[in-house]
Amino acid sequence: NAGVTQTPKFRVLKTGQSMTLLCAQDMNHEYMYWYRQDPGMGLRLIHYSVGEGTTAKGEVPDGYNVSRLKKQNFLLGLESAAPSQTSVYFCASSRWRSTDTQYFGPGTRLTVL
Amino acid sequence: GESVGLHLPTLSVQEGDNSIINCAYSNSASDYFIWYKQESGKGPQFIIDIRSNMDKRQGQRVTVLLNKTVKHLSLQIAATQPGDSAVYFCAELRMNRDDKIIFGKGTRLHILP
């Protein structure tokens, strides 16, 4: 099993550009999550999904959209990137609810100029 | 651990000694706690968890202690090894509420040779 994978690993955007981060898991997990990690801030939940076709807002959802069209994939979109979205983004999945172990991907480092 | 500005608190420990990493959690209603380890360039990895009806739980070389009176959590690592070098996060959530995990800001563990 590959576990949780993220694409791309690095990306540089200009302000106003859009992009989509892809997360894939091969563990048949129901729950998936997108977090951002900033220096001194810990991990903050952006959006999450409790199953295929569902999405919900986390702690810091503004400026992001997500989709879960297939159970194994969770996409994070930035429609108009801003420098404040410069961060490291982590995807995670868990079998059922948040109290199940969350497995994290390797992260995507995004820089918005 | 609590962060100081943009810098993570750092704990330096001699190889072979025991490490104790502390965390003050925020919500007295939280009833489930998790410790994660994050190595450089990687996503967080589950270490151990504890529910609020316990005050101690042991794993392999790790022990988590929970003091609900003062909202304090600690992670003890026995016989610290070079591979233990990482940032350690505590996380909390309320199992029967909105399922959103709240991560602490992390403590960097540095192993001295």
Side-chain angles (χ1 to χ4, degrees):
Chain A
N1 287 353
V4 180
T5 58
Q6 292 182 231
T7 310
K9 287 185 167 50
F10 303 94
R11 186 72 186 268
V12 178
L13 291 178
K14 294 181 180 178
T15 297
Q17 286 186 316
S18 64
M19 77 162 295
T20 300
L21 306 184
L22 171 64
C23 175
Q25 53 93 4
D26 61 1
M27 297 175 282
N28 201 33
H29 285 174
E30 291 295 330
Y31 279 51
M32 296 187 75
Y33 316 81
W34 274 108
Y35 295 91
R36 61 177 288 173
Q37 185 175 42
D38 302 296
M41 297 290 291
L43 287 158
R44 291 183 292 169
L45 182 64
I46 305 172
H47 285 281
Y48 64 104
S49 168
V50 302
E52 181 179 315
T54 75
T55 63
K57 293 181 180 180
E59 182 186 354
V60 288
D62 293 342
Y64 304 95
N65 57 75
V66 287
S67 63
R68 184 103 180 263
L69 298 179
K70 294 183 179 180
K71 187 177 183 178
Q72 64 267 34
N73 295 337
F74 195 30
L75 278 62
L76 178 71
L78 286 73
E79 290 187 349
S80 180
S84 61
Q85 293 178 304
T86 293
S87 188
V88 180
Y89 292 85
F90 287 99
C91 176
S93 70
S94 63
R95 184 165 172 248
W96 293 109
R97 52 188 298 165
S98 298
T99 48
D100 290 325
T101 300
Q102 289 194 22
Y103 294 86
F104 284 81
T108 296
R109 184 174 294 275
L110 175 66
T111 301
V112 183
L113 302 175
Chain B
E2 300 294 329
S3 70
V4 179
L6 296 178
H7 302 288
L8 289 176
T10 298
L11 174 67
S12 295
V13 175
Q14 205 76 37
E15 183 179 347
D17 287 352
N18 296 337
S19 302
I20 300 176
I21 301 170
N22 296 306
C23 176
Y25 62 91
S26 59
N27 190 342
S28 56
S30 294
D31 53 12
Y32 180 66
F33 306 89
I34 311 162
W35 279 100
Y36 284 91
K37 173 186 180 182
Q38 186 176 20
E39 297 175 89
S40 181
K42 297 183 179 180
Q45 181 181 14
F46 173 92
I47 303 174
I48 192 168
D49 60 359
I50 189 169
R51 298 179 192 268
S52 60
N53 61 352
M54 304 171 68
D55 53 21
K56 180 179 180 179
R57 190 168 187 214
Q58 288 185 291
Q60 189 175 18
R61 270 201 319 119
V62 295
T63 301
V64 56
L65 298 178
L66 174 63
N67 185 331
K68 296 182 288 294
T69 303
V70 294
K71 293 192 292 184
H72 183 267
L73 199 63
S74 69
L75 177 70
Q76 300 178 4
I77 304 174
T80 310
Q81 301 170 359
D84 295 328
S85 288
V87 175
Y88 290 82
F89 295 94
C90 64
E92 60 181 296
L93 80 159
R94 295 170 296 177
M95 291 174 61
N96 294 320
R97 294 296 295 269
D98 57 13
D99 279 349
K100 295 169 191 171
I101 288 182
I102 300 171
F103 286 86
K105 296 178 176 64
T107 297
R108 187 180 305 281
L109 179 63
H110 178 60
I111 311 303
L112 302 169

